[in-house]
Amino acid sequence: MNIKESILLRVRIAFLAVIAFVLVVIYRIADIQFVQGDEWRKEAQEIGLDYKTIKATRGSIYADGNDLMATSLPFYKIAFDPSLANDNTFKTGIDSLSLLLSKFFRDRSPGEYRKKISEARQSRKRYLVLNNNLINYQNKEMMEKWPIFREGQMIGGVIFDKFDERHRPFKTLAQRTIGGVNKDGEATVGIEKSYDQFLAGQDGKGLYQRIAGGNWMPVNVASDVKPRNGYDVYTTIDINLQDVAQNSLLRQLEKYGAAYGTVVLMEVKTGEIKAMSNLTRTESGSYVEDYNYAVQGLNDPGSTFKLASMLALLEADKIELTDSVDTGDGTVKFYDRTMEDQSASKGGYGKLTVQEVFEKSSNVGVSKLVDQYFGKNPQRYIDIIKSTGLGKPLDFQMMGEGIPYIKNVDDKSWSGTSLPWMSVGYETAITPLQTLAFYNAVANDGKMIQPIIVKSIRKGNQIVEEFEAKTLDKKIASKATLEKLKIMLEGVVERGTAKNIKNDFYKIAGKTGTAQKLMNGRYYKQRYYASFAGYFPADEPLYSCIVVIDYPKGWNSFGGDVSAPVFKEIADMIFALDLGLHDTFKEERLAKEGTFPVIRAGNYDELNQLLNEFGISNHMEEENVEWVRASISNNAIAWKSNHSESSLVPNVEGMTLRDALYILENKGLKVSVSGTGRVLRQSVSSGRRIVKGTTITIELG
C-alpha cells in the first residue's frame, strides 16, 4: 500500500468515525426527547427547574431637544441566599445588616430580621425575600455596600430581582400621543404602540429553580440568553410648544364646557409636528387624553373645507376674487333643502365679491358658485380636490389614521343636494391632521408633505433609522391659484370671521369652521364642531396649526370665537420666543465706522492676524472659537462667538462673500448673491431652523 492509499484509508476511517459519533448523538437526543422525555420532565418538575422569560428593558422616547418623555426605570425586589456567606463573614456582618434593613424598611426590628435570616441559614434556605417593597436603583447601589451584601451575589448571597416600570417625566403632557404600556409591559396606544417593534427589544431566557414558598431563584447558567434592550425613539415634539398648546386648549375647553378638543402645530417646510394635544371631557368635568382625535377623528370639517372649494373654482378658471355673487337674505334652496348663512337672521349679506364670500364664510355664496360652475359636472369638482391629495390617507407614522371620505357621484348616498353641501364641508369625513396637511401645502407654495412625528430610531448614539417627510404632491395648484388662496386666507383674519385674532406684530392667515354636528343621522343646530386652520407669519410661513373644539356650550360657539383664540395664543408664544421674527429686536453687533477698520465678522485667525499687523488692540472673550463677530470695547475690538447650532441659520451679515458662502453652503443651504462687497442683509433671519436645499439670498454692499 502506497502513501496515497494509506492517507485515503485513514481519512475514510476518520470520516466514518465522525458519522458514527453524530448518529450516536442524534440517537441519544431522540431517546431523551421522545422515549425518556416524560420521565425527565417529571424529574425537572420535582427539582423545580424551568426556563423563564427575562424581560428586555424598553427603549425611551425623547422630544426634540432630547427631553425625556417616556422611559423605563429599574426597580428591584431584594432577596437573599443566606447559605452562601462563610461563617466569619456571616457572624461579623449579620447584626449590622439586620440594623440597616430595619432602618430602611421600618417593618421589623433588627432582632426580627436577624432571627429571620439566621433561621433561613440554618435550614439551608436558598432564596429568602427580605421585603416585598420595590427599591430604586440608587437604593440598590447603597445596599450593595452593606455588610455581607458587599461580597456580591456569588459569595455574599444578595439577589436583586429587577422589574421595569414605565415613567413619564412630564406626566400628562402629550400623554395620548406618547401612548402607554400596560402592567404586562405591552404597548397599548400612541407612539409606544406604533413603534413597539423598536422600543420593546427582545426578551431573553434564563434558568430558574423553584424553591420553598413558590418563589423562583435564578440559577445563572451559561445557557441563559441575555435580553436585547429596546431602541430609543426620537420625536419632533417641542416640549415648550407642547406645553403652551395643551394648556391653551385646556383653558378654552373648560371655558366652554366642550366635549373634546385637539390641536396640532407643524413646521411648514419640514412637516415636523411640534405639538399635538387631544383632550376629552370626563363625567366629572375634568379633561384627559384618551383618544387621538387629531389622527383618528373623522368628522365633517365644515367651513375649513371652503378653501378646497375655492381651489377647485380657481383651478377650473371659473372665478376671480373680484367677481360677485348675490347671497340675498342669507338663504338659498337646493331641491328640498335650504342652505343658510349665519347672517340669515339679520337679513343676509346681499351682494358679495368672491373675496368677501370667503372672508365672511358665506355658505350661500360658496354653494351657489360651486353649483353654478360644477352643477352639470360635479365629478370635475371632486376630481380637482382629490388631485391635491386631500381625501387620501397621509400614511402617518402612528397607527390608526382615519380613512378620509370624499364621495364620488356614483356613490349610493349621492343626491341632488350633495354638491352644494359638500362645497361647504358637509357629507365628507376628514381628520384634523389631514385638513392641516392641506393648509400647510398652501403655506408651502403648493408642496404637500407628509406630517411626521418621529425623526429617528437610535441605539445609544448610533442611528438605526432616520425619517424625513415625504412629498405627497409637488404642486397642489398653480402659482396664480395659490397666491389668490393666500390673499383670501389673510383676508379672513384682517376683515373676516377671525378678525378677533388680528394683531399689529405679525400676520396670520387662516379659515374658521363651524359645522353642525351629525348625530343619529341628522344635523343639530347649536351643536357645533368649531375649528380654525391656518399658518403664520402669513408673509413668510414658519408654522401651520389647526384647532378643533367639539360641542362648545354657549352663544358664541363658532370657530372664530372658540378655536381661533387658541391658535393665536400659540402663535403669540412662538413670536415671543423666536427673536428672529422681531425685526425691531434684531441685534446689531457691528463695529462702528471711524477709528477702526470696517471689521464686521469672519474667521478669527485671519482677522486677528490682520489687526495685529495694523497694531490695533483686539481680544477674544471666549476660547476655541473659529467664527467671530466684532464689537467695540473701550478702545479695542472685542471678538464674540458668531457660530450657531448646526440646525439653525447662521448670521453672516458683515462677512466677506467667501466666508459667507463657505458657512452657508456647508449648512446645506443654496445661496443667491446680489451686489458686491460685504454682506449687508440675508433673506432668512439667523436662528431659524435650517431646511436643507432652501435658497437664501445675501445682499452685498
Side-chain angles (χ1 to χ4, degrees):
M1 181 182 295
N2 57 36
I3 296 176
K4 183 177 180 181
E5 291 176 343
S6 177
I7 293 174
L8 287 174
L9 179 61
R10 293 175 185 176
V11 170
R12 290 189 181 110
I13 292 172
F15 177 74
L16 291 172
V18 170
I19 292 296
F21 177 76
V22 170
L23 291 173
V24 170
V25 171
I26 293 173
Y27 170 77
R28 290 295 296 157
I29 292 173
D31 182 57
I32 294 171
Q33 181 72 25
F34 300 107
V35 179
Q36 303 179 42
D38 292 340
E39 181 182 344
W40 285 111
R41 277 187 283 273
K42 183 179 180 181
E43 187 171 337
Q45 282 184 340
E46 292 174 357
I47 297 174
L49 292 176
D50 191 13
Y51 274 97
K52 291 189 172 294
T53 298
I54 303 174
K55 295 292 291 183
T57 298
R58 192 171 181 83
S60 299
I61 300 175
Y62 291 88
D64 191 21
N66 296 338
D67 294 297
L68 191 60
M69 300 196 74
T71 191
S72 292
L73 295 181
F75 289 89
Y76 303 87
K77 182 168 69 174
I78 182 171
F80 188 37
D81 181 351
S83 66
L84 286 179
N86 60 45
D87 290 341
N88 182 58
T89 300
F90 187 82
K91 289 178 180 179
T92 56
I94 184 60
D95 289 334
S96 298
L97 178 60
S98 300
L99 178 62
L100 290 169
L101 288 169
S102 177
K103 285 184 176 181
F104 183 85
F105 289 113
R106 298 182 180 180
D107 62 335
R108 299 171 185 265
S109 67
E112 289 173 323
Y113 267 111
R114 192 183 195 289
K115 180 180 179 183
K116 178 180 180 180
I117 296 171
S118 297
E119 288 177 350
R121 180 178 172 85
Q122 289 174 3
S123 62
R124 309 296 295 175
K125 193 172 184 179
R126 299 293 308 278
Y127 189 85
L128 173 67
V129 177
L130 294 174
N131 194 286
N132 285 315
N133 291 330
L134 297 180
I135 62 173
N136 60 29
Y137 182 76
Q138 289 74 22
N139 290 330
K140 171 181 174 289
E141 283 192 319
M142 175 185 70
M143 290 181 173
E144 287 175 335
K145 299 174 183 177
W146 286 2
I148 304 178
F149 288 180
R150 67 171 65 105
E151 304 299 328
Q153 179 173 343
M154 303 307 294
I155 299 176
V158 65
I159 302 168
F160 293 101
D161 285 337
K162 182 170 171 284
F163 299 86
D164 284 334
E165 288 188 5
R166 206 63 173 161
H167 175 66
R168 284 193 300 268
F170 292 96
K171 305 300 180 185
T172 60
L173 200 64
Q175 181 176 340
R176 181 55 177 74
T177 303
I178 297 304
V181 177
N182 63 23
K183 62 180 182 180
D184 296 322
E186 299 170 342
T188 53
V189 293
I191 293 173
E192 294 273 20
K193 178 69 172 178
S194 301
Y195 286 83
D196 187 56
Q197 59 177 321
F198 295 104
L199 289 164
Q202 187 172 342
D203 293 341
K205 287 282 187 181
L207 186 63
Y208 283 72
Q209 181 177 5
R210 186 166 57 190
I211 57 178
N215 293 309
W216 289 88
M217 180 182 72
V219 178
N220 294 319
V221 296
S223 59
D224 286 356
V225 178
K226 292 184 178 180
R228 178 178 61 80
N229 294 335
Y231 297 145
D232 297 327
V233 172
Y234 285 75
T235 73
T236 62
I237 293 173
D238 184 302
I239 285 295
N240 294 322
L241 298 181
Q242 176 70 34
D243 185 49
V244 171
Q246 187 159 316
N247 284 312
S248 179
L249 177 66
L250 177 60
R251 281 192 293 271
Q252 203 73 339
L253 291 172
E254 291 175 338
K255 178 179 178 181
Y256 286 91
Y260 69 80
T262 182
V263 57
V264 185
L265 177 71
M266 183 166 73
E267 282 188 346
V268 169
K269 299 295 183 184
T270 65
E272 292 185 5
I273 292 174
K274 294 299 164 187
M276 179 185 287
S277 183
N278 301 274
L279 296 171
T280 306
R281 193 173 192 268
T282 64
E283 291 183 359
S284 65
S286 61
Y287 287 88
V288 297
E289 283 212 332
D290 64 357
Y291 186 79
N292 196 327
Y293 298 100
V295 177
Q296 299 171 282
L298 291 164
N299 207 88
D300 291 313
S303 294
T304 55
F305 193 79
K306 290 174 183 174
L307 184 67
S309 293
M310 286 298 179
L311 181 147
L313 288 163
L314 289 166
E315 280 294 273
D317 201 21
K318 302 295 185 182
I319 60 169
E320 290 295 335
L321 300 189
T322 53
D323 291 346
S324 60
V325 57
D326 189 2
T327 65
D329 63 355
T331 63
V332 60
K333 199 162 188 178
F334 295 98
Y335 297 95
D336 61 336
R337 295 179 67 184
T338 299
M339 179 77 71
E340 290 185 359
D341 278 338
Q342 184 184 342
S343 65
S345 61
K346 301 176 183 178
Y349 292 124
K351 197 171 186 178
L352 297 174
T353 65
V354 170
Q355 172 79 28
E356 290 171 333
V357 164
F358 192 78
E359 290 175 358
K360 296 180 183 298
S361 197
S362 170
N363 293 332
V364 172
V366 173
S367 60
K368 285 184 72 173
L369 285 168
V370 170
D371 185 68
Q372 177 183 348
Y373 293 111
F374 292 107
K376 293 181 179 180
N377 186 9
Q379 191 61 45
R380 170 68 175 146
Y381 164 82
I382 296 166
D383 289 343
I384 293 175
I385 290 176
K386 287 188 174 182
S387 69
T388 67
L390 187 62
K392 297 178 184 177
L394 298 168
D395 192 23
F396 188 54
Q397 292 174 314
M398 292 174 64
M399 292 179 177
E401 180 186 0
I403 305 301
Y405 169 66
I406 298 178
K407 66 173 66 176
N408 294 309
V409 294
D410 58 359
D411 194 288
K412 291 181 180 180
S413 64
W414 185 269
S415 69
T417 61
S418 289
L419 180 63
W421 259 259
M422 281 180 64
S423 72
V424 296
Y426 288 96
E427 297 192 27
T428 60
I430 302 174
T431 69
L433 186 61
Q434 290 157 1
T435 297
L436 179 60
F438 179 68
Y439 273 73
N440 193 80
V442 174
N444 199 23
D445 296 324
K447 184 179 180 181
M448 181 178 279
I449 54 179
Q450 176 195 49
I452 64 170
I453 198 167
V454 172
K455 288 200 296 187
S456 64
I457 308 295
R458 301 184 189 182
K459 180 182 180 181
N461 293 324
Q462 178 186 354
I463 296 177
V464 176
E465 191 169 348
E466 280 189 296
F467 305 96
E468 288 186 358
K470 299 175 184 176
T471 299
L472 303 178
D473 194 321
K474 292 182 179 179
K475 205 77 170 177
I476 65 168
S478 67
K479 183 177 181 181
T481 293
L482 290 167
E483 289 301 320
K484 292 170 185 176
L485 293 178
K486 290 177 180 179
I487 290 171
M488 286 192 286
L489 288 168
E490 289 184 40
V492 171
V493 179
E494 292 295 313
R495 299 170 295 276
T497 54
K499 61 185 178 183
N500 56 310
I501 64 171
K502 177 184 176 182
N503 68 86
D504 297 328
F505 301 103
Y506 62 94
K507 284 188 175 183
I508 295 173
K511 181 71 185 75
T512 57
T514 310
Q516 294 178 12
K517 288 286 293 179
L518 179 65
M519 301 173 68
N520 301 319
R522 58 173 290 200
Y523 289 99
Y524 284 80
K525 290 185 178 181
Q526 303 304 321
R527 291 194 174 188
Y528 295 126
Y529 179 83
S531 60
F532 184 87
Y535 53 86
F536 63 95
D539 52 350
E540 193 178 336
L542 294 177
Y543 296 92
S544 60
C545 181
I546 187 168
V547 181
V548 172
I549 294 180
D550 184 78
Y551 194 12
K553 312 299 191 302
W555 293 103
N556 295 326
S557 52
F558 302 109
D561 302 310
V562 179
S563 300
V566 177
F567 184 105
K568 184 175 183 295
E569 188 172 339
I570 297 168
D572 283 347
M573 179 58 68
I574 292 174
F575 182 77
L577 294 174
D578 189 348
L579 295 182
L581 298 174
H582 299 236
D583 291 336
T584 55
F585 283 25
K586 192 172 181 181
E587 188 176 5
E588 296 292 339
R589 295 186 295 174
L590 306 180
K592 297 177 181 179
E593 303 285 349
T595 307
F596 296 98
V598 186
I599 299 296
R600 295 291 186 257
N603 181 273
Y604 170 71
D605 291 335
E606 294 177 358
L607 294 177
N608 176 252
Q609 183 179 357
L610 176 64
L611 292 187
N612 288 340
E613 286 289 330
F614 281 96
I616 297 174
S617 175
N618 66 100
H619 59 272
M620 170 62 75
E621 296 185 352
E622 301 173 53
E623 295 182 358
N624 301 321
V625 175
E626 182 179 7
W627 298 98
V628 293
R629 181 165 295 278
S631 64
I632 293 179
S633 177
N634 296 321
N635 291 318
I637 286 181
W639 300 117
K640 295 184 178 180
S641 173
N642 188 39
H643 69 280
S644 66
E645 294 180 10
S646 60
S647 61
L648 303 179
V649 175
N651 184 358
V652 297
E653 293 181 4
M655 291 187 178
T656 63
L657 176 59
R658 183 195 66 174
D659 288 342
L661 286 174
Y662 176 84
I663 291 177
L664 294 173
E665 290 180 349
N666 274 292
K667 295 273 189 178
L669 295 165
K670 295 179 181 178
V671 184
S672 175
V673 181
S674 64
T676 59
R678 289 179 177 269
V679 180
L680 286 179
R681 281 174 287 276
Q682 58 189 78
S683 63
V684 182
S685 301
S686 61
R688 294 191 179 179
R689 186 176 294 277
I690 290 174
V691 179
K692 290 188 177 181
T694 299
T695 298
I696 180 172
T697 301
I698 55 176
E699 182 183 342
L700 310 180

